[in-house]
């Protein structure tokens, strides 16, 4: 049976409850935290792994590469590259301490090494140098003239029948590979280069080619590397990279069922469409989306933790001249931070469910694979956009202190922009997801229904086969204090958006597909937002069900209430117009929000303690402690 959730306010306290924080931590990181998260938390706890923003940029970059080499000595590189859970956790724990290390590790272990492992093995293409990190791997796909339209890449690899080799060439300025970390820092590098495979002039689509780029002396013959202007945030050696008829051996071509080349130059593929071959070749980008979500959500949690702690020991004048109060005491200060915590918990819950769905899907089932990939894209877009908003709020609540690089928040704000663009620009991903939902006449929730047949990842308890994505039908369908009612309305908002998008699509003049899509796009994209909100709330509610500590359970229900009510306010006009929400219910929304804020305000330190950030993290950031005023005068 599905457990009944009875809402009970958490006992009021201004102290951090160890038991409650521990239970929230268990839910945040799951029953397998000791295996998946603990090794990376231990790594992040080492002060030597923390970025030092006071150093010159070149030294910061060199340090990040040194940390990458140090990380490699502490892990089984092949096992890491093969495990999406560990890859995401690596990003989640390194992002708060060194964003550049996070980028470099993600490229080497996921995009480069993971892609090599996913393709056919080649005896003449040993991986030892990359596993030992004698050579650092990078990934060259995007071109200066081709980003979201990567299927139109111009770089070519012409097959030479005389010896079976390939000639890799950049035909023009637009074909230069854009943004990869191909600079001299870190040591010799090799890359997987996306290029058009041409045999006797025939284009077979885009494949990946293993290409040595540099040695200790710099770029190899035929390879040109030009540094790009420095971007804000954690420094990475982003460059433009071009090839002038670079000859590659036969084994440089990465092959698989999507395409193979026989000794006589005959091409074969299980996929008829060149676009499908390309997407298969760069399939690791989907795991990269999970990693971008992990990085962004972790950065948002870290920023909120700093802001909440600072607000508790930053004092201002009270109502009486002889009294000072922490700035946290003011609703205008703590309300946006508590709303941010609700979103951070929900985004983390959605991320955990999305990782499990991706890991558990059957790649041989095209429909299941497509659904899982869409869920990854939707979660990445929503979570990274939300993370940016949360970091902005945290920075503002810290005032001028939030602007100081030593406190770390500005780096998170700059770094999160990269997660929004990398591994697929959010808007492009959501346009695709919106179009897919639009054409699905009976769309089910993006939360996997098969989850009911397995234990919830946070619980570690036996499965409840009757546990759906949303709670059971509420006793009173008008009571917004009931989480089941809120979930039903969030679902309805998404369906209404899709209905409106379909109506606009059919009303648009026929014969112009772009014009028809433009008519439907605003509501289709809004439907994706509503879908993400519903699913994030559903996963947060599942954590409340799984909580073993009464206070933790009550706090999670309050977070769900705060998160859900705020989202329903955004959909209020739509729901009112459709008769899904009454005027009385709309009037209830602000009162429910205030009630949740009242109950949560005294528990914020428990909520951020649950993020389990190492003490060494806080020690390097002055605003995290009450002695912050002495940090700049010692």
């Amino acid at each position: 049976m599905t457990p009944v959730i009875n809402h009970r306010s958490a006992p009021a306290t201004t102290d951090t409850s160890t038991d409650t924080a521990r239970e929230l931590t268990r839910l945040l990181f799951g029953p397998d935290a000791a295996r998946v998260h603990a090794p990376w938390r231990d790594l992040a706890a080492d002060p030597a792994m923390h970025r030092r923003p006071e150093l010159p940029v070149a030294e910061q970059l060199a340090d990040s590469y040194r940390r990458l080499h140090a990380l490699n000595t502490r892990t089984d590189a092949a096992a890491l590259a093969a495990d999406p859970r560990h890859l995401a956790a690596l990003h989640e724990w390194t992002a708060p301490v060194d964003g550049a290390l996070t980028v470099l590790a993600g490229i080497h272990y996921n995009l480069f090494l993971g892609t090599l492992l996913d393709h056919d093995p080649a005896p003449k293409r040993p991986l030892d140098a990359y596993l030992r990190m004698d050579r650092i791997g990078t990934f060259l796909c995007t071109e200066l003239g081709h980003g979201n339209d990567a299927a139109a890449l111009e770089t070519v690899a012409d097959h030479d029948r005389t010896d079976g080799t390939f000639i890799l060439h950049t035909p023009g300025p637009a074909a230069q590979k854009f943004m990869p970390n191909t600079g001299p820092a870190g040591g010799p590098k090799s890359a997987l280069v996306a290029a058009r495979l041409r045999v006797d002039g025939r284009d077979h689509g885009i494949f990946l080619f293993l290409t040595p780029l540099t040695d200790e002396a710099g770029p190899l013959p035929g390879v040109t590397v030009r540094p790009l202007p420095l971007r804000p945030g954690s420094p990475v050696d982003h460059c433009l990279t071009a090839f002038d008829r670079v000859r590659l051996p036969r084994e440089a071509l990465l092959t698989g069922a999507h395409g193979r080349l026989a000794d006589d130059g005959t091409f074969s593929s299980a996929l008829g469409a060149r676009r499908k071959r390309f997407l298969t070749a760069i399939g690791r980008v989907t795991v990269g989306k999970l990693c971008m979500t992990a990085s962004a959500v972790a950065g948002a949690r870290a920023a909120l933790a700093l802001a909440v702690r600072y607000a508790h020991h930053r004092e201002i004048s009270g109502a009486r001249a002889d009294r000072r109060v922490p700035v946290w005491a003011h609703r205008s200060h703590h309300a946006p931070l508590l709303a941010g915590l609700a979103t951070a918990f929900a985004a983390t819950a959605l991320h955990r469910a999305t990782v499990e769905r991706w890991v558990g899907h059957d790649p041989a089932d095209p429909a299941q694979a497509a659904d899982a990939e869409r869920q990854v894209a939707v979660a990445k877009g929503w979570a990274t956009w939300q993370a940016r908003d949360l970091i902005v709020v945290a920075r503002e609540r810290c005032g001028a202190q939030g602007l100081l690089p030593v406190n770390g928040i500005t780096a998170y704000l700059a770094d999160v922009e990269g997660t929004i663009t990398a591994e697929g620009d959010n808007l492009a991903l959501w346009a695709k997801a919106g179009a897919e939902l639009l054409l699905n006449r009976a769309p089910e929730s993006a939360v996997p229904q098969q989850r009911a047949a397995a234990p919830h990842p946070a619980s570690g308890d036996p499965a409840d086969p009757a546990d759906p994505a949303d709670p059971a039908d509420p006793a009173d369908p008008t009571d917004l204090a009931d989480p089941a009612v809120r979930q039903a309305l969030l679902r309805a908002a998404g369906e209404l958006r899709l209905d409106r998008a379909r109506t606009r699509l059919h009303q648009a003049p026929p014969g112009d597909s772009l014009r028809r899509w433009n008519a439907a796009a605003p509501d289709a994209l809004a439907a994706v937002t509503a879908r993400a909100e519903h699913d994030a709330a559903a996963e947060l509610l599942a954590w409340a069900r799984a909580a073993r500590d009464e206070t933790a359970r009550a706090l999670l229900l309050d977070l769900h209430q705060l998160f859900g009510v705020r989202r329903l306010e955004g959909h209020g006009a739509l729901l009112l117009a459709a008769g899904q929400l009454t005027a009385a219910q709309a009037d209830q929304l602000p009162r429910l929000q205030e009630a949740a804020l009242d109950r949560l305000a005294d528990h914020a330190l428990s909520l951020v303690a649950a993020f389990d950030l190492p003490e060494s993290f806080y020690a390097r950031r002055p605003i995290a402690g009450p002695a912050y005023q002495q940090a700049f005068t010692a």
Side-chain angles (χ1 to χ4, degrees):
M1 296 291 294
T2 302
V4 177
I5 298 178
N6 296 312
H7 192 285
R8 301 173 70 180
S9 299
T13 176
T14 56
D15 296 326
T16 299
S17 166
T18 302
D19 290 341
T20 297
R22 186 180 296 118
E23 175 62 1
L24 291 171
T25 298
R26 183 187 72 84
L27 294 163
L28 276 161
F29 298 102
D32 208 15
R35 183 184 72 86
V36 175
H37 288 277
W40 306 118
R41 186 191 184 278
D42 290 344
L43 183 83
D46 183 353
M49 303 303 290
H50 295 203
R51 178 187 173 216
R52 298 175 59 192
E54 72 275 11
L55 295 177
V57 168
E59 291 186 36
Q60 290 187 53
L61 179 59
D63 281 351
S64 292
Y65 272 108
R66 281 193 287 270
R67 293 181 192 113
L68 179 64
H69 283 277
L71 185 159
N72 197 63
T73 65
R74 300 169 67 163
T75 190
D76 180 333
L80 172 59
D83 189 334
R85 290 190 186 95
H86 269 284
L87 285 168
L90 163 64
H91 285 69
E92 194 166 342
W93 288 102
T94 57
V97 297
D98 185 354
L101 170 63
T102 310
V103 171
L104 302 175
I107 294 171
H108 178 82
Y109 291 111
N110 179 49
L111 293 178
F112 179 81
L113 193 55
T115 299
L116 282 171
L117 293 170
D118 288 349
H119 284 74
D120 290 339
K124 293 184 178 181
R125 195 175 64 217
L127 303 182
D128 295 357
Y130 313 118
L131 296 172
R132 294 191 305 265
M133 210 172 272
D134 297 337
R135 297 188 68 83
I136 290 175
T138 186
F139 194 82
L140 278 61
C141 185
T142 300
E143 294 177 351
L144 188 58
H146 304 284
N148 290 328
D149 67 334
L153 296 178
E154 298 179 38
T155 302
V156 295
D158 289 305
H159 180 244
D160 187 342
R161 281 186 177 274
T162 61
D163 57 7
T165 60
F166 303 94
I167 305 299
L168 183 68
H169 187 64
T170 302
Q176 296 175 93
K177 295 300 182 180
F178 180 64
M179 288 294 283
N181 57 314
T182 54
K189 295 176 182 174
S190 293
L192 294 179
V193 181
R196 294 190 173 280
L197 170 61
R198 298 195 306 199
V199 180
D200 297 333
R202 182 179 179 183
D203 181 357
H204 290 288
I206 299 168
F207 286 80
L208 298 174
F209 294 81
L210 179 59
T211 307
L213 297 178
T214 61
D215 59 17
E216 292 80 356
L220 296 173
V223 180
T224 300
V225 177
R226 298 183 180 90
L228 286 166
L230 184 67
R231 65 164 177 80
S234 306
V236 176
D237 52 328
H238 295 298
C239 298
L240 283 175
T241 309
F243 306 95
D244 184 9
R245 302 191 62 78
V246 174
R247 188 171 292 272
L248 300 174
R250 174 182 174 80
E251 59 271 15
L253 172 64
L254 271 59
T255 59
H258 63 295
R260 296 186 175 95
L261 201 62
D263 291 341
D264 64 357
T266 301
F267 177 81
S268 61
S269 175
L271 303 175
R274 289 185 296 181
R275 179 174 177 79
K276 288 185 178 180
R277 296 172 195 165
F278 169 58
L279 294 177
T280 301
I282 63 166
R284 273 296 173 133
V285 168
T286 301
V287 176
K289 292 182 179 69
L290 295 173
C291 295
M292 294 302 99
T293 303
S295 298
V297 171
R301 293 200 308 257
L304 288 167
L306 291 168
V308 168
R309 286 171 63 118
Y310 181 56
H312 278 79
H313 54 245
R314 171 70 172 182
E315 294 184 343
I316 59 174
S317 298
R320 289 169 40 182
D322 62 343
R323 179 174 298 176
R324 294 183 64 79
V325 297
V327 68
W328 182 262
H330 288 266
R331 177 72 105 220
S332 56
H333 192 97
H334 67 238
L337 291 173
L338 288 171
L341 288 174
T343 301
F345 270 82
T348 304
L350 179 62
H351 170 61
R352 296 280 180 259
T354 303
V355 170
E356 292 307 309
R357 185 175 192 188
W358 179 253
V359 170
H361 86 277
D362 181 3
D365 182 335
Q368 191 178 134
D371 287 345
E373 187 166 351
R374 180 169 58 249
Q375 171 69 359
V376 171
V378 169
K380 186 257 189 185
W382 184 78
T384 56
W385 271 325
Q386 293 298 311
R388 177 171 61 187
D389 292 346
L390 301 186
I391 296 168
V392 168
V393 168
R395 205 293 303 159
E396 290 182 356
R397 292 309 91 227
C398 293
Q401 289 278 358
L403 294 172
L404 299 179
V406 70
N407 287 320
I409 298 177
T410 53
Y412 303 146
L413 187 56
D415 291 345
V416 77
E417 295 292 347
T419 68
I420 289 169
T421 299
E423 319 296 35
D425 180 86
N426 280 1
L427 189 57
L429 295 177
W430 274 31
K432 180 176 182 291
E436 290 171 351
L437 293 176
L438 188 62
L439 298 176
N440 183 356
R441 296 303 302 178
E444 74 279 6
S445 170
V447 172
Q449 295 298 317
Q450 68 265 28
R451 194 194 69 218
H456 189 274
S459 68
D461 294 330
D464 179 353
D467 185 18
D470 285 335
D473 291 339
D476 180 357
T478 67
D479 183 9
L480 288 176
D482 188 334
V485 175
R486 298 194 296 270
Q487 285 301 128
L489 287 171
L490 288 171
R491 180 185 288 274
E495 293 172 350
L496 288 169
R497 292 289 187 186
L498 281 177
D499 287 344
R500 281 175 44 165
R502 291 183 182 119
T503 298
R504 290 179 62 84
L505 182 71
H506 293 310
Q507 289 176 343
D512 187 338
S513 59
L514 178 58
R515 186 174 180 182
R516 297 184 73 211
W517 166 247
N518 284 341
D523 282 306
L525 293 172
V528 178
T529 300
R531 178 65 57 88
E533 292 170 347
H534 168 273
D535 293 350
E539 295 299 337
L540 182 58
L541 190 55
W543 280 0
R545 291 196 192 108
R548 301 166 183 168
D549 174 85
E550 181 178 331
T551 303
R553 186 166 179 262
L555 290 174
L556 290 167
L557 288 171
D558 280 328
L559 290 171
H560 182 274
Q561 179 167 311
L562 182 56
F563 177 84
V565 164
R566 286 172 60 85
R567 268 61 193 178
L568 288 175
E569 284 185 332
H571 299 299
L574 177 73
L575 292 167
L576 279 166
Q580 296 281 349
L581 188 72
T582 67
Q585 286 177 309
D587 186 58
Q588 188 185 10
L589 290 174
R591 293 198 299 272
L592 288 172
Q593 183 174 172
E594 287 300 309
L597 290 170
D598 281 340
R599 292 191 294 264
L600 288 167
D602 289 338
H603 299 275
L605 291 175
S606 289
L607 294 173
V608 298
F611 296 159
D612 203 27
L613 289 160
E615 282 305 313
S616 60
F617 166 84
Y618 292 118
R620 294 188 64 89
R621 290 154 178 81
I623 58 171
Y628 70 96
Q629 294 180 12
Q630 285 74 51
F632 307 105
T633 58

